[in-house]
Amino acid sequence: QSVLTQPPSVSGAPGQRVTISCTGSSSNIGAPYDVHWYQQLPGTAPKLLIFGNSNRPSGVPDRFSGSKSGTSASLAITGLQAEDEADYYCQSFDSSLSASVFGGGTKLTVL
Amino acid sequence: EVQLVESGGGLVQPGGSLRLSCAASGFTFSGSSMHWVRQASGKGLEWLGRIRSRPNNYATGYAASVKGRFIISRDESQNTAYLQMNSLQTEDTAVYYCTRRSKDDSSGYYVAWGQGTLVTVAS
């Protein structure tokens, strides 16, 4: 049971928009600690996708965006492409655990 | 170019020990907080622990699931971080990643990841 809750899976057709939610609590996202997102392509290590709730590292397309409100955060992907098919993880810090925490991960399927 | 290269994974019997290494290059290792994360097959990411930078006295912290069994250390002269794993159990079977934190505080995120090394605990 992860501290941060994500839907196990989402799907969308090419060109569509999908969102992935990440729900926490008052000791992590609501504390408020920043939320970061990672993309993990099959068989590879995770890669930073969004940092500080809504910032994109250099090289990440602007089709990816992040937001945060209260004890939840969201990752939105617009103009879905086949190459976006991957697992996505949110991450934050939890003051009760004094630990970094991850969401359980969401598998994105591009139909 | 920032690089993290893990090594030391393999097959170990339950109750055994293993030490993983993470060789770092391309950034100022001494100023960076290094963390370890693992991923069991088909499962999500699990934070294991961290060792802070020299200004923060190389302080360590661990997840409850590994506290007392795993020890994180670092060798500044070798630009290498280590994960000593003791009393290994079958549920410790996973790919282990070392990561570099963007900042040595609670707001940091993982800017670089190693390729991962597989640890299998089985008899």
Side-chain angles (χ1 to χ4, degrees):
Chain A
Q1 191 80 345
S2 301
V3 172
L4 303 179
T5 301
Q6 297 180 233
S9 63
V10 297
S11 62
Q16 285 190 332
R17 177 181 187 268
V18 296
T19 62
I20 299 172
S21 61
C22 175
T23 302
S25 68
S26 59
S27 63
N28 42 68
I29 297 175
Y33 290 105
D34 285 344
V35 177
H36 321 291
W37 292 88
Y38 303 85
Q39 178 192 59
Q40 186 176 33
L41 297 170
T44 69
K47 172 192 129 180
L48 180 66
L49 192 65
I50 296 286
F51 66 93
N53 305 315
S54 59
N55 301 288
R56 284 186 308 277
S58 171
V60 173
D62 59 6
R63 301 185 297 104
F64 296 90
S65 63
S67 64
K68 178 187 142 178
S69 178
T71 58
S72 295
S74 288
L75 172 71
I77 310 171
T78 58
L80 264 183
Q81 299 180 4
E83 67 207 49
D84 298 333
E85 194 160 280
D87 294 323
Y88 293 85
Y89 295 89
C90 59
Q91 176 251 317
S92 186
F93 181 84
D94 190 285
S95 57
S96 297
L97 301 172
S98 291
S100 279
V101 288
F102 287 95
T106 298
K107 181 175 182 59
L108 168 63
T109 300
V110 180
L111 302 171
Chain B
E1 179 194 3
V2 172
Q3 272 201 315
L4 298 172
V5 179
E6 298 100 338
S7 59
L11 175 64
V12 60
Q13 292 188 335
S17 298
L18 207 58
R19 188 179 82 157
L20 306 183
S21 300
C22 171
S25 60
F27 63 96
T28 305
F29 183 74
S30 62
S32 297
S33 171
M34 300 300 294
H35 294 228
W36 288 88
V37 175
R38 71 183 177 187
Q39 184 173 36
S41 180
K43 303 295 184 182
L45 303 172
E46 180 187 10
W47 180 82
L48 298 177
R50 55 88 168 137
I51 184 164
R52 300 186 74 177
S53 60
R54 183 169 62 182
N56 289 291
N57 299 313
Y58 302 126
T60 55
Y62 301 92
S65 60
V66 303
K67 194 171 185 178
R69 298 191 300 126
F70 289 11
I71 299 171
I72 299 173
S73 61
R74 60 196 292 164
D75 182 339
E76 300 297 311
S77 67
Q78 299 291 320
N79 279 5
T80 300
Y82 300 98
L83 178 64
Q84 175 68 43
M85 304 184 293
N86 302 319
S87 302
L88 283 162
Q89 305 158 8
T90 54
E91 51 265 38
D92 294 316
T93 295
V95 173
Y96 285 71
Y97 296 102
C98 74
T99 70
R100 177 199 173 202
R101 186 101 157 172
S102 60
K103 287 188 291 185
D104 195 1
D105 62 30
S106 58
S107 67
Y109 45 90
Y110 301 109
V111 292
W113 297 69
Q115 84 284 0
T117 187
L118 176 62
V119 172
T120 303
V121 185
S123 53

